[in-house]
Amino acid sequence: MSDGGTQYFRALDQLARAAKVVIDRPRGTAHPRYPQAVYPIDYGYLQGTTGGDGEGVDVFVGTEAGVGVVAVVLTADVRKRDVETKVLLDCAATEIDAVRGFLVDTLGIAGHLILRAEDARAGVSNGLS
């Protein structure tokens, strides 16, 4: 990964460490607009940050406590006419795949997964659409 990519993920680590993670949709919770879509891992936001939609930066939180930011998903939701970055924090490879499936297969959101180079997990596909 280029130095810029390394700096990007280090900056995300700083944001995640400095912010309180608020989980407003725990694993197993139905999506508010699409009740058939169930969150495979905890989902919420980083309090005190601002994402592209003016709300806190979106974050999926896995079970690998202390690992930090392992990836981001750049999404383009045509139905909402929305583009966002979703941070994957403390996620194992299986959780990264579950997030990909949830966004693409369940919600129909196009996007691109960018794995952190030094934390790249074997068997995880970066193509979302």
Side-chain angles (χ1 to χ4, degrees), residues 2-123:
S2 73
D3 185 56
T6 300
Q7 289 176 349
Y8 176 73
F9 278 100
R10 285 183 184 154
L12 287 174
D13 283 334
Q14 284 184 303
L15 282 174
R17 278 193 305 269
K20 177 181 178 187
V21 176
V22 177
I23 302 299
D24 55 2
R25 298 177 195 170
R27 181 181 69 186
T29 301
H31 189 283
R33 283 188 301 266
Y34 308 104
Q36 77 285 2
V38 176
Y39 285 87
I41 68 173
D42 291 342
Y43 179 76
Y45 61 94
L46 299 175
Q47 190 174 54
T49 63
T50 305
D53 60 0
E55 301 293 326
V57 172
D58 294 334
V59 62
F60 282 95
V61 181
T63 58
E64 298 289 310
V67 173
V69 177
V70 297
V72 294
V73 181
L74 309 176
T75 64
D77 188 339
V78 176
R79 288 179 292 188
K80 284 176 49 183
R81 300 179 55 85
D82 181 55
V83 174
E84 293 186 26
T85 299
K86 300 185 183 298
V87 176
L88 280 68
L89 180 65
D90 296 339
C91 292
T94 54
E95 293 168 325
I96 295 169
D97 258 356
V99 168
R100 186 216 58 79
F102 177 71
L103 293 172
V104 175
D105 302 330
T106 304
L107 294 178
I109 297 173
H112 186 70
L113 174 69
I114 301 172
L115 293 171
R116 186 176 196 150
E118 57 266 31
D119 291 330
R121 313 274 190 200

